[in-house]
Amino acid sequence: MTTTEPRARLVLGNWKMHGTLAENAALLDALRTADAAAHCQFGVCVPFPYLAQTQQLLEGSTVAWGAQDVSKHEKGAYTGEVSAPMLKEFGCRWALVGHSERRTLHGETDQLVADKAAAALASGLTPVVCVGESLDEREGGNTLGVIQRQLAPVLALGADALGRMVLAYEPVWAIGTGRTATPEQAQEVHGAIRVALQGLGVDHVQVLYGGSVKAANAATLFAMPDIDGALVGGASLVAEEFLRIAAA
Ligand code: 13P
């Protein structure tokens, strides 16, 4: 199970429901001028209303951007939904799908998440498919079973689709809690995801870790063989901290 080429590192920020025009301008300006992409692929996933501002401020820079969700529909009577072709018009490279906050607070099912990933791909966006177990599931010894269940409809999209995605392992108990998975805990799950991908003949997919990633713990996580970068929440709102994660 050897990789022919090393996978590129990717550090992505997920602003969640944070930001104002003024705050964003300062943050994006700091990211744009720091040239974080010298270290790794680098980007931010911003709230929908700020995509135009983000595009305007980052266009021509090495920092890319994306959205935090995408509809499974291309267009139609779906009030409140935002389609992949719309995101594409605003220069998005990525769309997060299946973030645990969408799964738990908005009832997104494993199948819906896979449908959203397929819709993103159909418009030339890279879906960042998030999976992760709750604390109860981990303590019940079900971590890998939950990940397998969440991934099953995504894996069913096939090798070609998988080869154009990014996956993110975000244990729910580590999100916004300050309690990071240890590098070994994360690697165990990343390794299992890698084996599932390799079983389908796909080996170059980036698998990010997310959950209380900070500058102080990023390097030890990134030292693990199957951790290809990070999906960063809170720390991505502070330019200096976020840039230090990219440098790690
Ligand atoms: P925190 O980095 O704030 O724990 O959030 C992680 C996350 O949910 C990123 O998508």
Side-chain angles (χ1 to χ4, degrees), residues 71-78 83-86:
S71 176
K72 73 169 184 174
H73 303 288
E74 197 184 329
K75 62 177 164 181
Y78 304 104
S83 73
M86 293 173 185

Side-chain angles (χ1 to χ4, degrees), residues 11-13 31 42-44 235-236 238-246:
V11 171
L12 259 187
L31 299 180
F42 187 68
V44 287
S236 74
V238 183
E240 201 187 314
E241 179 79 7
F242 190 38
L243 289 165
R244 282 204 284 142
I245 293 171

Side-chain angles (χ1 to χ4, degrees), residues 12-16 96 99-101 130 168 170-172 174-179 209-214 230-236:
L12 259 187
N14 172 12
W15 288 3
K16 308 195 179 185
L96 306 184
H99 191 281
S100 67
E101 288 148 20
C130 306
E170 298 205 307
V172 178
I175 293 177
T177 59
R179 188 178 161 193
Y209 169 79
S212 297
V213 175
K214 307 268 181 292
L231 183 53
V232 184
S236 74

Side-chain angles (χ1 to χ4, degrees), residues 46-93:
V46 308
F48 293 134
Y50 297 135
L51 281 170
Q53 180 194 24
T54 302
Q55 180 178 34
Q56 194 190 9
L57 293 179
L58 294 184
E59 192 105 73
S61 81
T62 55
V63 185
W65 60 96
Q68 299 171 14
D69 187 23
V70 61
S71 176
K72 73 169 184 174
H73 303 288
E74 197 184 329
K75 62 177 164 181
Y78 304 104
T79 302
E81 292 275 276
V82 176
S83 73
M86 293 173 185
L87 298 181
K88 199 66 191 164
E89 280 204 295
F90 287 91
C92 288
R93 180 178 302 175

Side-chain angles (χ1 to χ4, degrees), residues 113-202:
V113 172
D115 292 345
K116 288 184 170 195
L121 286 172
S123 289
L125 295 167
T126 300
V128 179
V129 178
C130 306
V131 296
E133 82 288 2
S134 67
L135 188 58
D136 277 356
E137 289 163 340
R138 173 162 283 269
E139 287 177 344
N142 292 328
T143 298
L144 295 181
V146 168
I147 303 301
Q148 263 168 17
R149 192 207 72 219
Q150 292 175 334
L151 274 184
V154 178
L155 297 179
L157 295 174
D160 175 63
L162 287 163
R164 293 181 288 134
M165 292 183 195
V166 172
L167 301 183
Y169 169 54
E170 298 205 307
V172 178
W173 48 271
I175 293 177
T177 59
R179 188 178 161 193
T180 326
T182 64
E184 293 73 23
Q185 282 173 324
Q187 170 56 33
E188 185 195 8
V189 176
H190 282 241
I193 293 172
R194 187 78 61 208
V195 167
L197 291 168
Q198 286 170 333
L200 294 167
V202 187

